[in-house]
Amino acid sequence: MIDSSAPVRRGEELDVAALERYLLAHLPEAQGPLVVEQFPGGFSNLTYLLRLGDRELVLRRPPFGAAIKSAHDMGREHRVLSRLYPVYRKVPRPLLYCEDESVIGAPFYVMERLHGVILRSHSPLLQQLSGEALRAIGVAAIENLAALHAVDYAAAGLGDLGKPEGYVRRQIEGWTKRYRAAQTDEVPALETLIAWLHAHMPAERSAALIHNDYKFDNLMLNPANLTEIIAVLDWEMCTIGDPLMDLGTTLGYWIEPNDPPALQSMLGLTTAPGNLSRREVVECYAAASGRTVDDPLFYYLYGLFKIAVIVQQIYARYRRGFTQDARFARLDIVVNACAQLAVAALEEGEISRLARR
């Protein structure tokens, strides 16, 4: 049940000797030898297991060939964890940041290793969980999202992390620019979605610390009680902004049984019987946060758009030869599926009345 490591993928190897020298010089009481493995899950920043003597650590570095430094800023992610850890203990404790690219070819940071369960789409554990258990885990995840949005980010020293004014507009315009930079094919449905989002941007009503990639496989659960969240992982995109946009990202990842097969295959963790529906996710969040979610359709469609762009960026890296990870070869199907689902939701007005029955 515990998330496990595997041999490092070809093309994503680290300079173990250089890394060992650096760790022994900068980590107090560190002793070698160093053995490096890789966590195979995830599609963005690369995560490695370091066995340094009798210690287990986790290293994060940007993906090879990534061109978007703001999305893979290791120094920023390390700073967030360092300031967040004292006030929100559901994050790994950061230990070391290295900006010297001569060590492994990119900036990186090292943190403690936590042991827990990470639910993934094809995990055998899903077949063992009852519908009641899956529902309870879903409720815990959404209640924790509301709790995260209640963190006093100014008191944590994170007030300069982002600019909440104009956040919604910057997100729509920014993700559109990122899509154009990574575009490899024409996707008419995505063009329809982009035009609609630009024409229907709501005003911001509040600001919070937002994770920006909150989904099940970024949550680590207690093996003895799967409704207890030990840690929230992957803080690379966190900022200060409208918490309903964060909810929208989560809704985009919250796949239902009638959604396109490509999305069910890649993100279908929430399709099993017993899981909350997207309607129930919004209702749960509204109850836990005290925030009114009058019409979540915009936020849901934004979530699908952002996921489509993230997947397109990964697919573009594969097409351009920067990674040989075979999982990326047909991600264009996922991009199209996100776009088609968004247009269908737009035409049907899906979840437009989620907050009110």
Side-chain angles (χ1 to χ4, degrees):
M1 289 171 54
I2 303 298
D3 204 44
S4 58
S5 57
V8 177
R9 285 188 292 264
R10 185 163 58 93
E12 296 178 353
E13 298 87 352
L14 305 180
D15 186 333
V16 176
L19 179 59
E20 180 178 322
R21 288 193 298 271
Y22 186 88
L23 295 176
L24 294 180
H26 292 86
L27 276 179
E29 302 180 0
Q31 295 182 345
L34 173 65
V35 177
V36 178
E37 295 182 350
Q38 187 173 28
F39 290 101
F43 287 83
S44 185
N45 286 341
L46 303 178
T47 308
Y48 299 83
L49 173 63
L50 310 182
R51 290 193 172 94
L52 186 64
D54 59 358
R55 300 175 68 179
E56 287 191 340
L57 309 167
V58 172
L59 180 148
R60 293 262 289 170
R61 62 148 290 161
F64 291 82
I68 308 158
K69 293 184 179 180
S70 62
H72 305 285
D73 187 337
M74 296 294 98
R76 183 179 186 274
E77 190 170 339
H78 178 266
R79 179 170 66 90
V80 168
L81 293 178
S82 298
R83 296 185 181 181
L84 191 55
Y85 182 77
V87 298
Y88 182 78
R89 287 301 178 96
K90 293 182 180 181
V91 296
R93 183 166 62 95
L95 301 173
L96 178 69
Y97 169 64
C98 174
E99 62 182 356
D100 183 357
E101 297 187 14
S102 69
V103 180
I104 63 168
F108 67 90
Y109 73 90
V110 175
M111 55 187 165
E112 66 175 342
R113 188 197 180 182
L114 299 177
H115 293 266
V117 174
I118 298 178
L119 294 179
R120 304 191 189 278
S121 297
H122 303 290
S123 170
L125 176 61
L126 289 178
Q127 308 302 319
Q128 305 170 28
L129 295 176
S130 67
E132 292 79 7
L134 288 170
R135 184 176 186 86
I137 294 169
V139 169
I142 300 307
E143 290 180 345
N144 184 66
L145 179 62
L148 173 60
H149 291 164
V151 168
D152 188 339
Y153 60 83
L158 293 170
D160 61 347
L161 193 61
K163 298 177 181 179
E165 299 81 8
Y167 178 78
V168 172
R169 178 172 295 280
R170 288 199 308 276
Q171 290 303 295
I172 301 305
E173 293 177 349
W175 286 106
T176 301
K177 288 179 63 177
R178 294 181 193 106
Y179 174 65
R180 298 298 180 212
Q183 187 172 358
T184 54
D185 304 284
E186 294 295 325
V187 186
L190 205 52
E191 300 299 335
T192 299
L193 175 59
I194 290 170
W196 188 91
L197 290 170
H198 277 266
H200 293 83
M201 288 184 274
E204 296 97 350
R205 290 182 294 179
S206 61
L209 175 68
I210 61 178
H211 182 273
N212 250 334
D213 201 29
Y214 192 90
K215 54 182 178 173
F216 268 123
D217 57 3
N218 278 337
L219 303 179
M220 182 173 285
L221 311 179
N222 182 351
N225 176 11
L226 295 179
T227 64
E228 179 187 344
I229 296 170
I230 296 174
V232 181
L233 308 175
D234 293 6
W235 289 83
E236 62 197 84
M237 294 196 292
C238 74
T239 189
I240 308 300
D242 188 334
L244 296 187
M245 297 287 273
D246 212 14
L247 174 64
T249 298
T250 300
L251 288 170
Y253 282 117
W254 209 277
I255 305 303
E256 294 186 348
N258 292 327
D259 289 344
L263 294 180
Q264 293 195 47
S265 177
M266 181 176 179
L267 305 170
L269 183 62
T270 53
T271 59
N275 274 290
L276 299 175
S277 66
R278 285 188 284 260
R279 175 188 294 275
E280 290 172 321
V281 167
V282 173
E283 292 172 344
C284 181
Y285 177 82
S289 67
R291 290 186 171 89
T292 301
V293 190
D294 287 324
D295 187 349
L297 182 60
F298 174 88
Y299 304 105
Y300 170 53
L301 295 180
Y302 158 74
L304 286 175
F305 174 51
K306 187 170 79 168
I307 293 165
V309 178
I310 292 171
V311 174
Q312 177 62 38
Q313 290 173 330
I314 298 166
Y315 177 64
R317 291 209 317 271
Y318 180 86
R319 281 273 295 264
R320 294 165 185 170
F322 291 115
T323 176
Q324 301 177 44
D325 192 331
R327 296 177 302 160
F328 301 166
R330 297 311 309 271
L331 288 182
D332 56 324
I333 297 176
V334 178
V335 175
N336 277 273
C338 284
Q340 294 294 340
L341 180 58
V343 170
L346 181 58
E347 292 173 348
E348 298 167 8
E350 184 190 350
I351 78 169
S352 61
R353 295 180 299 278
L354 279 182
R356 299 184 228 167
R357 289 183 173 176

